[in-house]
Amino acid sequence: MGKQMNTALKRLHDIQKNNLLGGGQEHIERQHRRSKLTARERIACLVDPDSFKELGSCVNTTGARIDG
């Protein structure tokens, strides 16, 4: 692959890795202190291993409404 594609794929993987933290490590720890699981942990309890593929893991919120 070309240099530009490798750079784009690295950026994608970095974004996906960061998004696994959800609201960040502090948020995860706060959930655990409250004896709660994160959304991803709850999903992992419900489905068979490797049977769930998260879609839209690179989607972020917008600062403005998109519906006008």
Side-chain angles (χ1 to χ4, degrees):
M1 283 189 265
K3 182 179 177 182
Q4 189 173 3
M5 179 60 79
N6 287 336
T7 302
L9 286 173
K10 181 182 181 326
R11 183 169 179 244
L12 173 66
H13 292 142
D14 290 344
I15 290 170
Q16 289 174 329
K17 184 176 158 184
N18 287 336
N19 286 346
L20 288 177
L21 291 177
Q25 190 60 37
E26 287 182 25
H27 174 73
I28 293 171
E29 290 171 2
R30 186 175 71 219
Q31 290 289 90
H32 291 168
R33 282 194 304 271
R34 295 176 179 175
S35 298
K36 294 183 177 182
L37 298 174
T38 65
R40 286 183 180 91
E41 291 169 337
R42 292 191 301 269
I43 291 169
C45 291
L46 295 172
V47 299
D48 293 329
D50 299 321
S51 67
F52 178 78
K53 180 67 175 169
E54 183 175 353
L55 300 177
S57 64
C58 294
V59 175
N60 200 352
T61 59
T62 61
R65 291 181 57 119
I66 59 173
D67 61 354

